Amino acid sequence: MLNTIKNHGITLAVFAALTTGLTAMVNVLTETTIAEQNLLQQQILLDEIIPAKHYNNNLQQECYVVTDNRLGSAAPHRLYLARNNDKPVAAVIETTAPDGYAGSIHLLVGADFYGNVLGSRVIEHHETPGLGDKIDIRISDWITHFSGQWVVGEQDNRWSVKKDGGLFDQFTGATITPRAVVRAIKNTVLYLQNIPDQLATLPSCGDNE
């Protein structure tokens, strides 16, 4: 009886060890696959904001951390620098519209350093479905209409919704949301014009991990 119990105990211990090892192996393999997929999805998103024809470096490997209230909050924001033959030509940067109807709206904005907008996407929001959520590329193409526009200084009044005399459409029943996004993109593009002078002092994303 004792030998039988002992043998069963050994079998269970071996089984537990094998199961634990297999689970650990699956976790490692899954984590690697998930990380690779996340990098791929990020690259696809970055290419939507700055078309690949504008640069020839690896955006994901040239990531910096910036902090400035003009980006909508005092929180750190990531900046991905685009270079063409090693010359800085543009950037994609995280930014925040703090005054959305339902809270902060988080965006990625791409622009060169002369006020020209290359692209933009909303990456997180809590706006009302059927109203303010038209800022989401999955709902409408509204956010794509910033591409090809430019900002001419702080007093560029074209950067407002049409209801306020500007260039950009508002949404029926939801003007606060597009106002917030337009303002955030304008402020971000103005901020990016100063980036080339700061590059030597910006910490890389890896320094903050």
Side-chain angles (χ1 to χ4, degrees):
M1 175 67 74
L2 289 177
N3 285 336
T4 300
I5 294 174
K6 182 179 180 180
N7 288 337
H8 283 315
I10 293 173
T11 301
L12 289 172
V14 170
F15 180 76
L18 289 173
T19 302
T20 301
L22 181 60
T23 301
M25 184 183 302
V26 169
N27 285 339
V28 169
L29 293 174
T30 302
E31 286 176 2
T32 300
T33 301
I34 291 173
E36 290 174 349
Q37 287 299 313
N38 287 341
L39 285 174
L40 177 60
Q41 291 301 315
Q42 183 188 54
Q43 186 60 57
I44 291 171
L45 180 59
L46 292 174
D47 282 341
E48 289 179 3
I49 298 169
I50 296 187
K53 66 181 180 180
H54 290 285
Y55 66 95
N56 54 21
N57 66 315
N58 187 321
L59 288 183
Q60 293 168 305
Q61 291 181 3
E62 191 141 8
C63 175
Y64 299 92
V65 176
V66 295
T67 304
D68 194 289
N69 286 329
R70 286 172 291 180
L71 300 175
S73 76
H77 291 76
R78 287 184 176 86
L79 179 148
Y80 301 90
L81 184 67
R83 295 180 185 267
N84 196 329
N85 297 330
D86 204 40
K87 178 184 177 182
V89 293
V92 177
I93 187 171
E94 298 172 342
T95 192
T96 304
D99 47 357
Y101 180 78
S104 294
I105 299 167
H106 300 282
L107 305 99
L108 285 174
V109 174
D112 66 17
F113 305 124
Y114 305 99
N116 300 303
V117 183
L118 300 173
S120 54
R121 291 289 185 274
V122 171
I123 54 177
E124 183 182 346
H125 71 88
H126 304 283
E127 299 304 289
T128 307
L131 294 173
D133 67 343
K134 294 183 180 70
I135 58 174
D136 194 322
I137 189 66
R138 296 170 296 182
I139 306 299
S140 83
D141 66 352
W142 181 84
I143 195 68
T144 67
H145 295 164
F146 294 94
S147 301
Q149 300 292 342
W150 68 97
V151 182
V152 185
E154 294 278 356
Q155 304 306 315
D156 190 346
N157 294 324
R158 299 172 307 125
W159 278 79
S160 54
V161 296
K162 290 179 178 177
K163 184 176 182 179
D164 300 331
L167 288 174
F168 303 99
D169 290 333
Q170 61 272 346
F171 310 143
T172 302
T175 304
I176 292 174
T177 302
R179 273 190 185 130
V181 172
V182 171
R183 187 180 304 114
I185 294 177
K186 176 185 177 182
N187 290 340
T188 301
V189 173
L190 288 170
Y191 169 77
L192 283 176
Q193 294 182 43
N194 301 314
I195 284 298
D197 294 333
Q198 301 177 26
L199 285 176
T201 61
L202 293 179
S204 70
C205 293
D207 294 339
N208 290 267
E209 291 179 353

